[in-house]
Amino acid sequence: MKLNLNIQPLESWINVKNEPLIISGPCSAETEDQLLSTAHLLAATGKVSVLRAGIWKPRTRPGEFEGIGSIGLEWLKRAKAETGLPTAVEVANAKHVEEALAAGVDILWIGARSTANPFTVQEIADALKGVDIPVLVKNPVNPDISLWIGALERINNAGITKLGAIHRGFSSYEKSSFRNEPMWELAIQLKTLCPELPIINDPSHICGNRELIPYISQKALDLDMQGLMIESHIDPSVAWTDAKQQVTPAALEELIAKLSLRDPESKNEDFTDKLAELRKQIDKIDDIMLQKLSERMAIVEKIGQYKRDSKVTILQVNRWDEILKKGTAFAKALKLDLSFTEKFLELVHGESIRKQTEIMNEGKTEEEIVEASAAVKS
Ligand code: PEP
Ligand code: MN
């Protein structure tokens, strides 16, 4: 499946001062002085292409700072006039869109909580009909790529062709070192579905702390993301929102200086030849692995028939335990990552169980059984 979005290349609607594209500014506009002094320092780095600031803040709990509101748009206007930086704000309803447009904001973005709600996205899309402004759509809070795609489609259907996505990570129940799990595979999937769509990474909201931002920023560039949105505050220690993840403009400059820009394709012929040769070797090994997996499944089938005829259960816990122990010990000796090996063995074992279940049920798959029973019920 390919995504049919009608979009213009990012370079035609953002003047990228320096590679990589950096969008930066405070999480929230707090005071005129805080916004202006931050903006001036960011502009002075010469590395920031767009000034961001949250004017209306979606907060998890009531009673927290919910954004300075419309007055902040006046401060942004002044920051733009004094620094020459185009501005970007988050919009979460039609009124925000109208006010931001009236204040001359250059780029709008849709926040993660809004993307998760198609009613909200449609309201924003309707407010944007007939307007020519760039819009960036953050991924939804939950790891659901359809919601992300749906939001991009709604905005695109409203006639917005200066369109991009922001990857800010996904909420997860499991405890992790990140505030939001990157789940890079979802951003990669989106890129595969629509290679023309620019994807900007937001390491600040992925990390939730300053320390990890350089690592995630570099990884995003290595995965060919088209830019970074990084929160910056004149004095993060007193920031009213997201204090732990904001960096000073000086720290931002240092961080950007340390990033390596790598090309997706090398122009060096020797490199291209060597890469092609190594890829050929990998492909050969993949073929062998698949062949061996197929041989393994043929044996599993025989075991299934044998267990069925002998009236023995599919699962013997001791046997699975033994496979896991033996497999992980061998993997260790082979210097394979332990958790990768466990996941791989679990996947193979799961498929064996699925196959044997099919045999126990006279060749019917679980889906067929579930569907048949649903048909009987109705
Ligand atoms: C933000 O960028 O300040 C913000 C609220 O981000 P998100 O929507 O990704 O949580
Ligand atoms: Mn923030």
Side-chain angles (χ1 to χ4, degrees):
M1 186 186 88
K2 281 275 172 239
L3 250 189
N4 254 335
L5 296 175
N6 173 18
I7 45 185
Q8 299 183 43
L10 184 129
E11 296 72 27
S12 70
W13 45 272
I14 294 187
N15 174 23
V16 180
K17 290 243 173 82
N18 258 307
E19 292 280 334
L21 159 70
I22 304 286
I23 300 173
S24 187
C27 176
S28 303
E30 299 165 1
T31 65
E32 184 166 22
D33 193 41
Q34 167 253 5
L35 183 64
L36 282 157
S37 49
T38 307
H40 276 285
L41 288 176
L42 289 174
T45 65
K47 290 176 173 156
V48 174
S49 299
V50 179
L51 174 68
R52 65 145 280 158
I55 301 291
W56 303 280
K57 301 301 297 179
R59 305 312 302 275
T60 306
R61 306 275 306 271
E64 295 175 283
F65 174 60
E66 291 189 324
I68 206 70
S70 316
I71 182 78
L73 293 171
E74 295 304 314
W75 306 340
L76 264 180
K77 219 193 255 180
R78 205 175 138 195
K80 178 180 168 179
E82 289 183 13
T83 63
L85 288 176
T87 55
V89 302
E90 172 178 349
V91 289
N93 57 40
K95 190 168 162 285
H96 294 167
V97 173
E98 278 155 31
E99 286 194 34
L101 292 175
V105 169
D106 300 281
I107 298 173
L108 306 178
W109 88 78
I110 298 180
R113 292 155 193 80
S114 302
T115 306
N117 183 350
F119 286 134
T120 300
V121 177
Q122 194 55 52
E123 179 183 330
I124 296 170
D126 290 342
L128 284 168
K129 281 204 180 112
V131 181
D132 179 25
I133 190 166
V135 178
L136 301 170
V137 179
K138 286 203 172 196
N139 66 251
V141 177
N142 50 322
D144 180 340
I145 193 164
S146 297
L147 270 176
W148 200 2
I149 291 172
L152 287 158
E153 286 173 332
R154 283 177 200 277
I155 301 299
N156 199 221
N157 287 344
I160 299 292
T161 53
K162 296 170 180 164
L163 188 64
I166 302 180
H167 170 224
R168 52 77 82 192
F170 302 86
S171 176
S172 152
Y173 182 67
E174 278 172 30
K175 250 190 113 45
S176 122
S177 323
F178 297 110
R179 176 175 174 192
N180 292 297
E181 276 302 312
M183 300 188 188
W184 297 100
E185 63 281 7
L186 273 91
I188 292 168
Q189 214 178 323
L190 184 63
K191 212 175 179 41
T192 315
L193 289 172
C194 189
E196 319 79 77
L197 179 74
I199 306 184
I200 292 165
N201 183 260
D202 173 349
S204 307
H205 289 89
I206 288 179
C207 298
N209 64 70
R210 280 180 275 287
E211 293 70 25
L212 275 168
I213 292 178
Y215 168 74
I216 291 295
S217 302
Q218 185 62 57
K219 182 154 178 182
L221 296 183
D222 289 343
L223 291 175
D224 203 22
M225 304 261 173
Q226 272 183 275
L228 301 167
M229 182 192 254
I230 303 180
E231 288 184 341
S232 179
H233 188 289
I234 181 98
D235 183 359
S237 68
V238 296
W240 299 359
T241 55
D242 289 351
K244 282 199 228 124
Q245 71 192 33
Q246 301 205 58
V247 296
T248 62
L252 180 82
E253 191 171 7
E254 202 183 314
L255 185 162
I256 299 168
K258 286 191 183 145
L259 293 173
S260 317
L261 279 176
R262 301 174 180 122
D263 282 330
E265 302 290 344
S266 168
K267 283 152 202 89
N268 173 333
E269 266 179 42
D270 281 354
F271 170 86
T272 315
D273 287 353
K274 183 78 191 152
L275 189 66
E277 171 54 31
L278 291 171
R279 283 183 174 157
K280 230 190 263 167
Q281 289 179 29
I282 284 188
D283 291 352
K284 223 188 258 172
I285 296 177
D286 283 351
D287 284 353
I288 296 171
M289 271 190 337
L290 290 175
Q291 228 167 332
K292 289 287 162 200
L293 277 174
S294 154
E295 284 172 27
R296 187 188 195 281
M297 289 309 161
I299 299 174
V300 163
E301 228 164 275
K302 276 193 202 148
I303 294 181
Q305 286 156 1
Y306 192 57
K307 282 182 186 168
R308 180 196 57 202
D309 298 344
S310 319
K311 296 201 173 353
V312 172
T313 58
I314 296 174
L315 182 72
Q316 282 85 39
V317 180
N318 293 348
R319 165 75 183 141
W320 168 231
D321 215 34
E322 186 191 309
I323 294 179
L324 203 56
K325 270 203 197 110
K326 247 186 14 202
T328 47
F330 189 38
K332 203 170 166 194
L334 295 171
K335 297 199 169 23
L336 276 171
D337 181 78
L338 211 62
S339 109
F340 164 76
T341 308
E342 273 174 12
K343 274 191 223 141
F344 175 74
L345 290 174
E346 267 164 24
L347 201 64
V348 173
H349 186 244
E351 175 60 9
S352 302
I353 288 182
R354 194 193 63 79
K355 264 211 147 340
Q356 292 183 43
T357 309
E358 219 175 281
I359 290 164
M360 296 279 181
N361 291 291
E362 283 117 29
K364 284 201 197 73
T365 65
E366 190 159 303
E367 290 88 68
E368 282 166 351
I369 294 167
V370 172
E371 244 170 56
S373 79
V376 169
K377 251 197 271 169
S378 62

